[in-house]
Amino acid sequence: MNVEQAMDKLKSEGYKYTDKRFDMLTLFSDEGRYLAAKDVLESLQVKYDGMSFDTIYRNLSVFTDLGILEATELDGEKRFRFSCDTNDHHHHLICLECGKTKHIHHCPMEAAVSEQGFQVTGHKFEVYGYCEQCQ
Amino acid sequence: MNVEQAMDKLKSEGYKYTDKRFDMLTLFSDEGRYLAAKDVLESLQVKYDGMSFDTIYRNLSVFTDLGILEATELDGEKRFRFSCDTNDHHHHLICLECGKTKHIHHCPMEAAVSEQGFQVTGHKFEVYGYCEQCQ
DNA sequence: CTCCGTGCAAAGCGTTTGCACGGCG
DNA sequence: CGCCGTGCAAACGCTTTGCACGGAG
């Protein structure tokens, strides 16, 4: 998925084109890492003067609902990243400093769970630390 | 670790004995599952009329600092459970309804991470779903 | 012209903190 | 009798929501 495809998806679902949505998606596409709402605001308010959290949050929510972004939560803060190819199930190494990620192509679910009577609906495997630049 | 050992630890670290602390620890010991602050309040305010979140949060913080409780975060809410034996590294199946947990004795870290240049400081592997009773 | 997207403001939720008092040691 | 633990109240950070206006289609 790239920015154009994401905007197409928006339109096909009845959402309108706006420069701010385009710029938000471009930001996520360019960065390719987890960003918090405040990171998005910081980036966009350079260009848009009155830009506030409301629009950010509302659009993040729209994007996530449409599967354009994927979300995780760290230290009570939601973070979002451009959705990776969903056909390729994987997990992330996440840098606690800059939010950059690396893929982990090993999913522990296969080996881990042999529980009877527990209906699994989801799982989370994340490794935290510091990337080469941030150490 | 049991309640008595936990209270001893508190004393040895210079913290005082209070009924509320004892009851909080007893609750966590009895339940043996993840509880949110509001769950603790709900349980203790039956016995203590003016009981408020302040004490809960402050003591949860103390307990966690001393390693008596372990914490995780789910849906923007901190949850705590009586610390399992720390010698036995493991992860949890967590019921999204009642918070009950089962241990997963397989840790994915060994198999997963062969990244160069990434300094790993922590990891999280949790499986979510519904236990037999809550399905 | 009709809604959707937006900014503004205020509220929401879980959590944290300053203060003064009361109780443990 | 000193200091820690507590309740009260207020503030906090992040997020969500009601409202009215302006811009996309």
Side-chain angles (χ1 to χ4, degrees):
Chain A
M1 179 115 62
N2 58 38
V3 176
E4 285 72 33
Q5 290 171 323
M7 292 303 293
D8 287 346
K9 172 120 193 166
L10 271 180
K11 284 186 207 170
S12 73
E13 299 280 344
Y15 293 95
K16 292 182 177 172
Y17 173 92
T18 62
D19 286 342
K20 284 164 190 166
R21 282 181 175 165
F22 180 80
D23 286 353
M24 281 182 68
L25 291 172
T26 302
L27 174 66
F28 278 104
S29 179
D30 287 352
E31 293 289 336
R33 61 190 178 94
Y34 279 109
L35 298 172
K38 64 169 183 291
D39 300 322
V40 180
L41 180 67
E42 208 167 287
S43 170
L44 291 208
Q45 68 184 1
V46 175
K47 181 168 171 187
Y48 303 101
D49 196 29
M51 191 85 193
S52 70
F53 275 115
D54 319 81
T55 305
I56 306 283
Y57 280 115
R58 270 188 278 240
N59 286 334
L60 288 174
S61 172
V62 168
F63 297 157
T64 307
D65 287 348
L66 296 184
I68 295 169
L69 297 182
E70 44 187 279
T72 191
E73 209 177 323
L74 197 54
D75 294 328
E77 206 179 47
K78 293 181 181 173
R79 297 195 184 199
F80 303 83
R81 59 165 295 138
F82 215 80
S83 189
C84 310
D85 186 347
T86 49
N87 296 327
D88 172 29
H89 179 78
H90 62 269
H91 297 276
H92 288 124
L93 282 156
I94 303 175
C95 178
L96 295 171
E97 186 65 26
C98 70
K100 281 208 190 78
T101 58
K102 292 186 174 190
H103 289 194
I104 302 170
H105 288 286
H106 165 83
C107 176
M109 284 303 292
E110 305 136 22
V113 178
S114 55
E115 290 291 337
Q116 299 299 318
F118 196 98
Q119 177 197 350
V120 174
T121 60
H123 65 283
K124 183 172 193 167
F125 176 42
E126 290 178 348
V127 181
Y128 310 109
Y130 298 96
C131 72
E132 217 151 356
Q133 292 89 324
C134 292
Q135 279 171 33
Chain B
M1 179 115 61
N2 58 37
V3 177
E4 283 73 33
Q5 290 171 323
M7 292 304 294
D8 286 349
K9 173 119 194 168
L10 272 180
K11 283 186 208 172
S12 73
E13 297 281 344
Y15 293 96
K16 292 184 177 171
Y17 174 91
T18 62
D19 287 340
K20 284 164 190 165
R21 282 180 175 164
F22 179 80
D23 286 352
M24 281 182 68
L25 290 172
T26 302
L27 174 66
F28 278 104
S29 179
D30 288 351
E31 294 289 334
R33 61 191 178 95
Y34 279 109
L35 297 172
K38 65 168 182 293
D39 301 320
V40 179
L41 180 66
E42 210 168 285
S43 170
L44 266 66
Q45 67 183 3
V46 175
K47 181 169 172 186
Y48 303 101
D49 196 29
M51 190 87 194
S52 71
F53 275 116
D54 318 80
T55 304
I56 306 283
Y57 280 116
R58 270 187 277 239
N59 286 334
L60 287 174
S61 172
V62 168
F63 297 156
T64 306
D65 287 348
L66 296 183
I68 295 170
L69 296 183
E70 46 186 278
T72 191
E73 208 176 325
L74 196 54
D75 295 328
E77 205 180 47
K78 292 182 182 172
R79 299 194 185 199
F80 302 83
R81 59 166 293 138
F82 214 80
S83 190
C84 310
D85 184 348
T86 49
N87 295 328
D88 172 28
H89 179 78
H90 63 269
H91 297 275
H92 288 124
L93 282 156
I94 302 175
C95 178
L96 296 171
E97 185 65 29
C98 71
K100 282 205 189 81
T101 58
K102 292 185 172 189
H103 289 192
I104 301 170
H105 289 285
H106 165 83
C107 177
M109 284 305 291
E110 306 135 21
V113 179
S114 55
E115 289 293 335
Q116 300 297 318
F118 196 99
Q119 177 197 349
V120 174
T121 60
H123 65 284
K124 182 173 195 167
F125 176 43
E126 289 177 348
V127 180
Y128 311 109
Y130 299 96
C131 71
E132 217 150 355
Q133 292 89 324
C134 292
Q135 279 170 31

